[in-house]
Amino acid sequence: MEKWHLMATVVLIGLTVRWTVSLNSYSGAGKPPMFGDYEAQRHWQEITFNLPVEQWAKFINPDWIALHSSRGYESQAHKLFMRTTVLIADLLIYIPAVVLYCCCLKEISTKKKIANALCILLYPGLILIDYGHFQYNSVSLGFALWGVLGVSCDWDLLGSLAFCLAINYKQMELYHSLPFFCFLLGKCFKKGLKGKGFVLLIKLACTVVASFILCWLPFFTEREQLLQVLRRLFPVDRGLFEDKVANIWCSFSIFLKIKDILPRHIQIIISFCFTFLSLLPACIKLTLQPSPKGFRFTLVSCALSFFLFSFQVHEKSILLVSLPVCLVLSEIPFMSTWFLLVSTFSMLPLLLKDELLMPSVVTTVAFFIACAVSFSIFEKTSEEELQLKSFSISVRKYLPCFTFLPRIIQYLFLISVISMVLLTLITVTLEPPQKLPDLFSVLVCFVSCLNFLFFLVYFNIIIMWDSKNGRNQKKIN
Amino acid sequence: MRIQLVESARGAAVMAALGIATGGGYWFSALALGVTLLKCLLIPTYHSTDFEVHRNWLAITHSLPISQWYYEATSEWTLDYPPFFAWFEYALSHVAKYFDQEMLNVHNLNYSSSRTLLFQRFSVIFTDALFVYAVHECCKCVDGKKAGKELTEKPKFILSVLLLWNFGLLIVDHIHFQYNGFLFGLMLLSIARLFQKRHMEGAFLFAVLLHFKHIYLYVAPAYGVYLLRSYCFTANKPDGSIRWNSFSFVRLTSLGLIVFLVSALSLGPFLALNQLPQVLSRLFPFKRGLCHAYWAPNFWALYNALDKVLSVIGLELKLLDPNKIPKASMTSGLVQQFQHTVLPSVTPLATLICTLMAILPSVFCLWFKPQGPRGFLRCLILCALSSFLFGWHVHEKAILLAVLPMSLLSVGKAGDASIFLILTTTGHYSLFPLLFTAPELPIKILLMLLFTIYSISSLKTLFRKEKPLFNWMETFYLLGLGPLEVFCEFVFPFTSWKLKYPFIPLLLTSVYCAVGITYAWFKLYVSVLTDPPVGKTKKQ
């Protein structure tokens, strides 16, 4: 591309912000005996090194992963090593996917593509969790993004291979699996199930099965081992939710303690039903009318449905919703920016526990400014811009005075931002009352949950009302 | 601590809102705010002993009476800046006491609690506001007529990025820890005032600056000659030469009065206490060695390297007697007096004479061929560069004295842009040894790449209609910095030479950069001396 140097500048800014955030504390720093995610990752390195063989880590420092004796190992050099691995993984997988995605956006000027890349790379949630709290989400999200790219550009086999790798890296990616399935199935149907479509279906099935077998081969030796892996991956024994998370069950439990009232298997069934009922309309629509745009929005709404209604959800799972929202940043900048700010805010209790207040505030403000300047979001709040035109027209058939939707949305945005800022200030400065020590975390989760419900409705409206102007919209996009 | 964090967060949010609300001029606020946020992210990085220096000065000015300020020596980092800076630290100390009272105790050597760190870092970030204002004023002095329509191709935009996001200033101020931001703000503001024909303000600002940090004496000749020639003599003859009868005694006295009043305000109290000799001895410590611990990439680095090479050759060819060579040599990187082995030793007087001889041609040019503020700026840069190249005990941070004003010239002419890029890239690279810790390695490489890629590509785009900025030799030289960095940071530490000759990376860095800086100085001199005299075409 002609302005490669500006894109290089953007990538360098993204990398600099990531590394400076990583200079801060990590999850569980200096807090024995449980420590946190940082220790978890180190522990997994310990296990995978000592049990099967992985020679490369041996050259750096064997003390870091000596079986048993390295539990709770914390040192400057080791921290540097761990942080560097995250940066390299990011640089190899996630960042190229983002750059390529932005370059492939259609009918947008080069400057806007670069601005889009800047905003995606500055998204605070991923930076703070991967480089602050410490995880390797960029690997799975990166692979998922390669999957989205492949499938949108009609390289279906490569796309599905990438997505299988993503799932096998982190099982949370199953949140994205339904849209992939529906989109690819829809493509097969469109090509005609008797001819090319059927061939494509067979090829896809083979790719998926082959990649799964390849990844799971070492564990196929015994049935018991396989079951053990599955039990670890899907810990249904742990309950409906753990800690404080911004989903329906946790918020609902403020009023009614479901966990205590209903038995375990009923909880699972209820959560299953709600999840699937909420995502079914969008998925059916995607199967019948597959389009890249519909695919992206369905990714958002499916992941959001799973986040809100599913079993044993962690607050970090919001990142699975944030990635698809980043992809639609160029189409609905105002709502996407709003969502991404709320998603970062919803993780506030976790970030405060890791002493990441300063990086959180700084990266959130930086992200907000980048989006506001790149997309002029405050000027793009008309019905057309919010993609609510067809919906409004349908409602106006019954209610002719329904013209106030953009204004309502603007007011809601203001209320949302003010409440987020206030809650942040309160959580940071005040002490919670003795009787309700978790008051502030619960409030944060409750407010975030309300916001997410609103977004669920909004995204579903966009998907369902997209059909009437489907062809016209395709020309614009 | 949380209160301070929240305050700063609130402040940042307000600035953000203001930035968005200012409509058309939002790009400047966005740039300023963006770099401020980056500075906040750099808070937990490594800081050098300069951090303790400033904490000590906070303690001295807060806890002791004025009569003790320049005599206090509990810590090795005694007060060696002029009185205005001492008053600045005194003002800061009154805010510091709300963060952590303990840092203001003179006997708390190397005290660095998290609150102290936060306060000191934030004080640098906040005082940078003056620098941001100065950059804003400088942008007004830049001619934007030949620019394209796109924002990112306008000279104002490029200049703002080159100054606000300057790599050297970022790592020296916000990682290594110093207060250069607002000092350069004062200097750039005085330059901007001279461009805007507000000479009295410019003179006043520069006088104030001198009493904050006396290193700016390096560029005082440029100010003195320019103000005398172009302000005190109010008109020129048609061919540009001096018209003696247009001398304005009023202007001269008003300038003199400004300088006198500022100096009186600064040194007056110490004169009254009869402490002037002590103050001066603190300000100008000549007992230090010719080169700083890390060699500044100046002429003397080349001189020393040559001396070392000749002595090695001499020893090999048995021309020199090994017993006569002094044991402690420069290359071990210690700050001390020493002697050269082959070439004649260098004394402070010799460096002063060399510096004066180097400055003289540019000053003469400024007198005999005045070209208005632009000519003054070139002379200023040449003074700064010449002092850097030939001065005594020069620190490599002093290269910023030349790099920042040169940014103003770089967006004007293609020739200046080319010199600027060579000077900046090599000057910034020479700052790398300041950050030698492992966690800061990615930061310095990423920021350096960021600044270098942006500066080269944006200036190339700005001047794309003229001939290319670099010839093949210069391109090779600049590209050579990459392998040099790889060798010094990644290859050398794993070789066997590390134990025997630990100084080699520093030696290579300073010699390589010295070549580039000397070349840029030479090219700039040539362009100044060969410029056609103004007289007929341009007005003053």
Side-chain angles (χ1 to χ4, degrees):
Chain A
M1 62 183 299
E2 46 185 67
K3 295 215 177 130
W4 68 268
H5 47 89
L6 278 178
M7 186 60 100
T9 313
V10 160
V11 169
L12 286 168
I13 292 178
L15 287 172
T16 311
V17 172
R18 282 160 163 73
W19 186 261
T20 48
V21 169
S22 77
L23 293 172
N24 287 284
S25 173
Y26 47 79
S27 145
K31 292 184 192 145
M34 279 301 289
F35 294 98
D37 268 334
Y38 180 83
E39 164 63 14
Q41 304 287 344
R42 191 216 55 74
H43 182 60
W44 295 347
Q45 286 173 10
E46 169 193 338
I47 295 178
T48 51
F49 175 77
N50 288 298
L51 304 177
V53 177
E54 257 183 33
Q55 298 290 342
W56 61 274
K58 200 164 42 165
F59 291 116
I60 301 178
N61 191 339
D63 280 347
W64 292 343
I65 39 177
L67 194 56
H68 300 307
S69 58
S70 64
R71 295 284 154 83
Y73 191 91
E74 288 182 284
S75 84
Q76 268 303 92
H78 185 226
K79 179 181 173 188
L80 201 63
F81 165 72
M82 300 279 269
R83 296 295 197 200
T84 314
T85 53
V86 182
L87 189 75
I88 293 181
D90 211 350
L91 194 56
L92 288 177
I93 303 177
Y94 181 71
I95 293 185
V98 171
V99 170
L100 201 58
Y101 177 80
C102 291
C103 293
C104 292
L105 284 173
K106 297 191 176 62
E107 289 172 38
I108 302 183
S109 70
T110 315
K111 256 187 69 181
K112 276 257 150 40
K113 288 184 191 176
I114 296 175
N116 203 2
L118 178 67
C119 293
I120 298 182
L121 286 178
L122 278 182
Y123 168 57
L126 187 57
I127 299 179
L128 291 166
I129 295 295
D130 268 13
Y131 291 88
H133 181 81
F134 198 90
Q135 277 203 334
Y136 288 95
N137 290 307
S138 52
V139 175
S140 60
L141 290 176
F143 277 130
L145 188 49
W146 282 110
V148 170
L149 258 175
V151 159
S152 305
C153 299
D154 287 328
W155 298 333
D156 298 323
L157 294 181
L158 288 172
S160 40
L161 177 67
F163 186 64
C164 289
L165 286 174
I167 296 183
N168 284 309
Y169 182 84
K170 209 160 187 177
Q171 74 276 23
M172 288 298 185
E173 284 292 330
L174 283 172
Y175 284 17
H176 291 154
S177 54
L178 267 177
F180 268 90
F181 176 71
C182 295
F183 184 53
L184 289 170
L185 195 63
K187 271 197 188 180
C188 294
F189 284 161
K190 226 167 91 169
K191 288 195 177 169
L193 213 50
K194 300 259 172 78
K196 276 190 185 169
F198 193 63
V199 175
L200 183 60
L201 190 60
I202 298 291
K203 277 201 257 186
L204 285 169
C206 290
T207 317
V208 169
V209 169
S211 45
F212 266 84
I213 289 181
L214 261 171
C215 292
W216 287 69
L217 207 52
F219 300 99
F220 276 161
T221 48
E222 275 181 26
R223 189 171 174 274
E224 181 55 39
Q225 199 176 39
L226 200 62
L227 281 179
Q228 178 69 350
V229 174
L230 285 173
R231 229 174 278 140
R232 286 282 183 96
L233 288 179
F234 302 105
V236 289
D237 295 331
R238 287 224 211 137
L240 196 53
F241 59 85
E242 199 170 291
D243 220 351
K244 306 287 170 288
V245 63
N247 81 352
I248 291 288
W249 309 124
C250 181
S251 310
F252 202 60
S253 72
I254 298 177
F255 308 112
L256 190 65
K257 300 256 177 268
I258 314 179
K259 265 169 102 165
D260 303 327
I261 297 181
L262 298 170
R264 182 71 40 82
H265 60 276
I266 304 248
Q267 288 173 17
I268 299 183
I269 292 177
I270 290 186
S271 119
F272 185 84
C273 289
F274 268 87
T275 315
F276 275 92
L277 279 175
S278 60
L279 55 81
L280 221 47
C283 285
I284 294 180
K285 170 109 192 263
L286 184 62
T287 318
L288 297 175
Q289 290 175 358
S291 72
K293 181 182 168 193
F295 175 51
R296 289 194 289 268
F297 280 102
T298 314
L299 275 171
V300 177
S301 78
C302 266
L304 195 51
S305 303
F306 266 103
F307 178 82
L308 283 172
F309 298 109
S310 175
F311 212 76
Q312 188 57 226
V313 173
H314 290 268
E315 50 284 83
K316 297 187 282 276
S317 311
I318 196 63
L319 292 176
L320 290 161
V321 192
S322 302
L323 175 73
V325 173
C326 286
L327 299 183
V328 300
L329 196 56
S330 52
E331 295 172 50
I332 37 167
F334 177 68
M335 298 299 280
S336 311
T337 312
W338 183 4
F339 180 88
L340 293 170
L341 287 172
V342 176
S343 67
T344 313
F345 169 74
S346 70
M347 295 189 283
L348 185 69
L350 180 69
L351 298 170
L352 284 178
K353 212 165 35 165
D354 295 334
E355 292 166 35
L356 290 170
L357 176 64
M358 169 76 82
S360 312
V361 169
V362 169
T363 44
T364 309
V365 173
F367 173 74
F368 179 65
I369 294 174
C371 288
V373 167
S374 313
F375 298 110
S376 312
I377 54 176
F378 295 113
E379 294 158 24
K380 292 201 177 148
T381 50
S382 67
E383 272 178 15
E384 172 102 25
E385 305 274 359
L386 294 173
Q387 310 228 351
L388 290 173
K389 202 162 177 94
S390 22
F391 170 70
S392 305
I393 293 175
S394 318
V395 175
R396 273 198 279 273
K397 285 188 194 153
Y398 306 103
L399 278 176
C401 58
F402 191 72
T403 50
F404 40 79
L405 197 56
R407 245 184 301 145
I408 289 186
I409 292 187
Q410 283 168 359
Y411 284 139
L412 284 174
F413 173 73
L414 215 58
I415 296 174
S416 169
V417 168
I418 291 175
S419 61
M420 289 197 288
V421 171
L422 273 175
L423 267 176
T424 315
L425 285 174
I426 292 176
T427 318
V428 167
T429 51
L430 300 176
E431 290 292 323
Q434 288 271 9
K435 284 190 203 154
L436 305 164
D438 289 325
L439 177 65
F440 297 145
S441 325
V442 170
L443 276 175
V444 166
C445 291
F446 188 66
V447 167
S448 315
C449 185
L450 288 177
N451 278 289
F452 290 145
L453 276 172
F454 166 73
F455 280 110
L456 185 66
V457 171
Y458 170 77
F459 280 112
N460 273 303
I461 289 180
I462 293 189
I463 295 173
M464 301 316 289
W465 263 267
D466 193 33
S467 58
K468 288 184 183 163
N469 293 353
R471 293 211 191 100
N472 297 342
Q473 295 258 355
K474 266 194 187 145
K475 279 190 189 156
I476 297 171
N477 291 318
Chain B
M1 187 204 309
R2 284 188 162 174
I3 300 179
Q4 288 86 25
L5 283 174
V6 163
E7 287 289 342
S8 57
R10 217 188 284 151
V14 165
M15 280 165 72
L18 279 176
I20 308 300
T22 46
Y26 64 76
W27 60 265
F28 186 80
S29 317
L31 283 176
L33 205 51
V35 78
T36 309
L37 291 170
L38 181 63
K39 292 171 190 172
C40 291
L41 284 177
L42 291 175
I43 288 180
T45 52
Y46 152 83
H47 54 79
S48 68
T49 49
D50 275 334
F51 181 84
E52 166 62 15
V53 170
H54 288 281
R55 186 214 61 78
N56 188 38
W57 293 356
L58 280 173
I60 291 179
T61 52
H62 189 86
S63 339
L64 300 172
I66 301 181
S67 53
Q68 291 291 314
W69 284 2
Y70 283 94
Y71 280 94
E72 172 57 38
T74 309
S75 157
E76 57 177 317
W77 311 115
T78 55
L79 187 58
D80 56 4
Y81 275 14
F84 275 178
F85 201 89
W87 288 111
F88 167 72
E89 294 273 12
Y90 178 71
L92 277 181
S93 69
H94 282 286
V95 182
K97 65 185 181 208
Y98 297 112
F99 279 74
D100 189 347
Q101 192 75 16
E102 291 299 309
M103 75 169 106
L104 300 173
N105 186 341
V106 179
H107 298 283
N108 274 346
L109 297 182
N110 293 312
Y111 184 77
S112 58
S113 69
S114 56
R115 283 179 172 230
T116 310
L117 183 74
L118 207 64
F119 167 72
Q120 297 250 58
R121 291 283 196 204
F122 269 122
S123 64
V124 183
I125 296 177
F126 277 130
T127 50
D128 269 358
L130 182 58
F131 183 72
V132 172
Y133 174 66
V135 173
H136 191 251
E137 290 293 305
C138 284
C139 284
K140 290 189 200 165
C141 309
V142 169
D143 177 25
K145 282 177 214 150
K146 59 177 180 208
K149 285 185 197 161
E150 261 206 55
L151 174 68
T152 51
E153 291 186 14
K154 290 209 169 93
K156 284 191 213 279
F157 182 82
I158 299 179
L159 180 65
S160 305
V161 178
L162 290 178
L163 283 173
L164 287 173
W165 287 71
N166 185 290
F167 167 78
L169 204 56
L170 268 175
I171 66 168
V172 169
D173 265 17
H174 300 278
I175 301 185
H176 182 86
F177 196 86
Q178 273 204 334
Y179 284 93
N180 291 309
F182 83 96
L183 294 173
F184 278 112
L186 277 174
M187 185 168 97
L188 287 176
L189 197 57
S190 80
I191 295 175
R193 292 290 178 251
L194 291 180
F195 266 82
Q196 292 163 356
K197 312 277 185 225
R198 287 150 75 166
H199 297 92
M200 302 272 276
E201 288 182 44
F204 170 72
L205 287 166
F206 184 68
V208 168
L209 177 64
L210 274 182
H211 286 278
F212 264 106
K213 195 167 177 180
H214 51 298
I215 201 176
Y216 293 93
L217 274 173
Y218 285 161
V219 301
Y223 273 88
V225 171
Y226 175 69
L227 285 170
L228 194 60
R229 175 69 178 83
S230 305
Y231 182 60
C232 296
F233 288 95
T234 46
N236 283 340
K237 290 195 193 137
D239 64 349
S241 66
I242 196 166
R243 182 181 288 199
W244 291 96
N245 56 9
S246 70
F247 181 75
S248 159
F249 200 69
V250 175
R251 289 187 172 185
L252 182 66
T253 20
S254 44
L255 282 178
L257 205 63
I258 290 176
V259 175
F260 176 74
L261 282 174
V262 171
S263 309
L265 198 61
S266 155
L267 297 170
F270 298 94
L271 202 59
L273 291 166
N274 276 328
Q275 288 185 352
L276 207 57
Q278 170 70 359
V279 173
L280 289 176
S281 77
R282 282 287 182 88
L283 257 54
F284 301 102
F286 273 100
K287 293 218 173 56
R288 298 191 194 156
L290 175 64
C291 286
H292 195 78
Y294 305 125
W295 295 0
N298 63 6
F299 178 76
W300 304 121
L302 294 172
Y303 190 82
N304 294 334
L306 186 62
D307 180 69
K308 191 79 186 153
V309 163
L310 287 177
S311 71
V312 166
I313 293 179
L315 277 175
E316 293 290 310
L317 297 178
K318 307 278 191 280
L319 291 172
L320 293 172
D321 181 4
N323 297 328
K324 290 199 191 142
I325 307 228
K327 289 273 184 247
S329 79
M330 278 223 46
T331 49
S332 56
L334 299 170
V335 179
Q336 59 178 17
Q337 299 271 8
F338 68 93
Q339 290 175 343
H340 290 100
T341 41
V342 176
L343 300 171
S345 273
V346 181
T347 63
L349 189 62
T351 61
L352 188 63
I353 294 177
C354 286
T355 315
L356 284 175
M357 276 174 30
I359 290 182
L360 235 43
S362 63
V363 164
F364 277 173
C365 256
L366 189 60
W367 180 270
F368 291 112
K369 285 197 299 180
Q371 296 186 344
R374 207 153 279 274
F376 155 70
L377 191 55
R378 286 162 176 267
C379 180
L380 185 145
I381 296 168
L382 279 171
C383 285
L385 262 181
S386 310
S387 316
F388 179 83
L389 280 176
F390 296 104
W392 178 264
H393 198 81
V394 170
H395 201 294
E396 65 265 2
K397 295 182 226 134
I399 194 67
L400 291 176
L401 214 71
V403 164
L404 288 171
M406 184 100 209
S407 319
L408 285 162
L409 285 183
S410 69
V411 293
K413 265 170 50 174
D416 288 339
S418 149
I419 301 174
F420 167 75
L421 286 171
I422 299 175
L423 181 66
T424 296
T425 315
T426 43
H428 284 168
Y429 181 73
S430 71
L431 294 172
F432 267 33
L434 281 178
L435 300 180
F436 49 83
T437 47
E440 279 66 38
L441 177 65
I443 298 179
K444 73 183 182 194
I445 293 181
L446 287 171
L447 284 178
M448 174 86 184
L449 279 175
L450 185 63
F451 186 81
T452 311
I453 290 181
Y454 179 78
S455 56
I456 294 182
S457 56
S458 60
L459 286 174
K460 267 197 174 168
T461 316
L462 186 62
F463 295 114
R464 61 180 173 274
K465 292 184 186 147
E466 310 187 29
K467 63 177 179 29
L469 288 181
F470 301 125
N471 59 31
W472 66 268
M473 203 171 56
E474 293 162 353
T475 317
F476 263 133
Y477 174 79
L478 287 178
L479 287 175
L481 287 172
L484 181 65
E485 166 69 5
V486 167
F487 175 74
C488 289
E489 299 257 21
F490 298 104
V491 173
F492 183 78
F494 298 107
T495 59
S496 59
W497 292 328
K498 184 170 164 65
L499 293 167
K500 228 171 143 200
Y501 308 112
F503 54 83
I504 284 200
L506 296 176
L507 177 72
L508 283 176
T509 308
S510 23
V511 168
Y512 196 87
C513 294
V515 169
I517 294 177
T518 315
Y519 175 76
W521 169 77
F522 188 71
K523 244 185 132 175
L524 186 60
Y525 237 126
V526 165
S527 87
V528 164
L529 291 174
T530 57
D531 249 351
V534 146
K536 301 156 197 169
T537 46
K538 276 192 185 159
K539 58 182 193 319
Q540 276 269 24

